Amino acid sequence: MKIKTLTAAVMMSLGLLSVVGQTARAAEGELLVWEDIKKSNGITDAVKAFEAKYNVKVKVMEMPYTQQIEKLRLDGPAGIGPDVLVLPHDQVGTAVVQGLITPLKLTPEYLAGFTKPAVDAQTYLGQVYGIPKAVETIVLVYNKDLMPKAPETFEELKAFSKTQRDAGKYGLLAKFDEIYYAFGVVSGMGGYVFGPNSDGSLNVDDIGLANQGANDAVSYLKSFYADGLFPAGIVGDTGANAIDSLFTEKKAAAVITGPWSFQPYKDAGVNYGVAPLPLLPNGEHMRSFLGVKGYSVSTYSKQKELAQQFIEFINQPEYAKVRFQVTGEIPPVKSLIDDPLIKDDEKSRAVAIQAAYAVPMPSVPEMGEVWSPANSALQLAVTGKQDVKAALDGAVKNIKMQIEAIHAN
């Protein structure tokens, strides 16, 4: 059905794109699904198969997945919201608290088909609120002309970096002055953002960014700066651009970054490879932050059971595989990690493997108070402008004060 011109104009002004149907609620026996922008073609086959099997109609509408929760707040109560929507996992907690999405009744056997971190990311207070669709995390990207094979350990990478510096080039470059990039090392060596409560939820009063593991981790990161392995220009707001420039100019052999860098590096003509992050000095994997997109069921849906059947159906391995082929989004489906389609795709396999070791980024509102103090402390600590312990203690103190302030309001 075509959208009327006026409606289409309004939707386009909101940055929305309708693929099939209108914003009006689907009729009984039909489902209205909100999918991410330019991703609905990844579920076309699955939708057709579901419609045929259950003799129902599925209407699909595209909009940016980060904006769907905001629109649901208005459209849900008005009766024109979706049955199914896509959310970044760090919005799940807020959506639950606001009563916007409903818990799912999924068997342990079904959930076992997905990687545990991806399922954890869709879990809030012990209840699963979404089926994981795609994962994203940081990996090691290296120039194959300068480094034919990715080192398996950080110590190997550090030693290689020293030889590169002797030759006037750089080995590894990373934004270790930001918690997003440093967290994999911090977590792998025993630090954490928020500790767990007995029920598995996050205890925002238990902040582990200044414990012994965190201190050891940041001291280790500091050694890359102290040994002259990192240039001064990669600290602060311009650091990421400086790293990209050095890598694309082939003056650096490896960087720690995410899938968002793959295409720009390809366009720059770099012969690059991608690998999971190397092992830490303690033998542990870097437990980087994990981002997860997931399908959830709206609280306002009058067909919750059918909606859940739909998201279970479209996330079967055969359809998740098709979605990967069409959209490039990496599914956290265990059986697909060793599928030739992903296994033989170096980039996708590296992200999939690293995602299995990653930690879901906390989805609680209090996480917003962590970024700035943590980044400031890391910048002071790794550059030697402040003692590591003093910097981390100060960050935790500031985080706690800010969390207390928002709780008081």
Side-chain angles (χ1 to χ4, degrees), residues 96-376:
V96 173
V97 170
Q98 296 180 354
L100 299 174
I101 56 177
T102 191
L104 304 178
K105 298 175 182 178
L106 301 166
T107 67
E109 292 76 18
Y110 180 81
L111 291 173
F114 301 90
T115 59
K116 186 177 184 302
V119 174
D120 289 345
Q122 299 295 316
T123 304
Y124 186 77
L125 297 179
Q127 292 272 4
V128 178
Y129 285 87
I131 293 179
K133 172 193 181 187
V135 293
E136 182 178 87
T137 192
I138 56 175
V139 287
L140 183 73
V141 180
Y142 61 100
N143 185 322
K144 291 182 176 181
D145 296 331
L146 302 177
M147 179 189 290
K149 182 181 178 182
E152 295 184 2
T153 71
F154 250 99
E155 285 301 282
E156 291 177 73
L157 194 50
K158 191 173 184 182
F160 176 81
S161 294
K162 290 180 179 179
T163 62
Q164 285 292 100
R165 288 304 298 130
D166 292 340
K169 296 184 179 181
Y170 294 96
L172 171 70
L173 295 181
K175 279 285 290 170
F176 287 147
D177 65 321
E178 290 185 6
I179 190 63
Y180 180 79
Y181 295 95
F183 181 76
V185 179
V186 171
S187 181
M189 296 180 74
Y192 53 89
V193 179
F194 300 123
N197 288 310
S198 58
D199 62 1
S201 61
L202 295 178
N203 181 357
V204 297
D205 295 321
D206 178 12
I207 301 172
L209 293 176
N211 65 10
Q212 188 58 53
N215 273 275
D216 292 344
V218 177
S219 295
Y220 180 67
L221 296 178
K222 178 182 177 180
S223 68
F224 283 83
Y225 297 80
D227 293 347
L229 304 181
F230 285 2
I234 69 168
V235 174
D237 294 339
T238 61
N241 289 336
I243 289 174
D244 285 341
S245 294
L246 288 167
F247 187 71
T248 55
E249 293 168 8
K250 304 177 183 178
K251 296 177 181 178
V255 295
I256 290 177
T257 186
W260 53 85
S261 295
F262 295 166
Q263 191 61 45
Y265 291 165
K266 180 180 179 180
D267 293 343
V270 180
N271 177 27
Y272 72 90
V274 184
L277 296 171
L279 295 175
L280 296 169
N282 62 0
E284 296 293 326
H285 289 276
M286 271 184 71
R287 304 192 68 211
S288 50
F289 273 137
L290 178 71
V292 182
K293 289 181 183 179
Y295 290 106
S296 293
V297 175
S298 168
T299 300
Y300 302 99
S301 172
K302 295 179 180 178
Q303 303 178 100
K304 294 183 178 65
E305 184 176 342
L306 183 61
Q308 179 174 317
Q309 285 180 319
F310 174 77
I311 59 176
E312 288 186 66
F313 185 89
I314 68 170
N315 280 287
Q316 294 178 85
E318 62 180 297
Y319 296 121
K321 182 176 178 177
V322 171
R323 192 168 65 228
F324 165 74
Q325 289 176 292
V326 175
T327 68
E329 292 186 304
I330 299 170
V333 178
K334 290 180 181 177
S335 64
L336 293 182
I337 293 177
D338 288 320
D339 186 283
L341 185 69
I342 292 180
K343 186 177 182 179
D344 296 340
D345 184 309
E346 183 183 38
K347 301 185 293 296
S348 301
R349 179 168 174 77
V351 174
I353 291 173
Q354 183 58 40
Y357 300 119
V359 177
M361 192 182 303
S363 61
V364 292
E366 290 84 356
M367 185 63 190
E369 308 307 319
V370 171
W371 300 108
S372 181
N375 289 346
S376 296

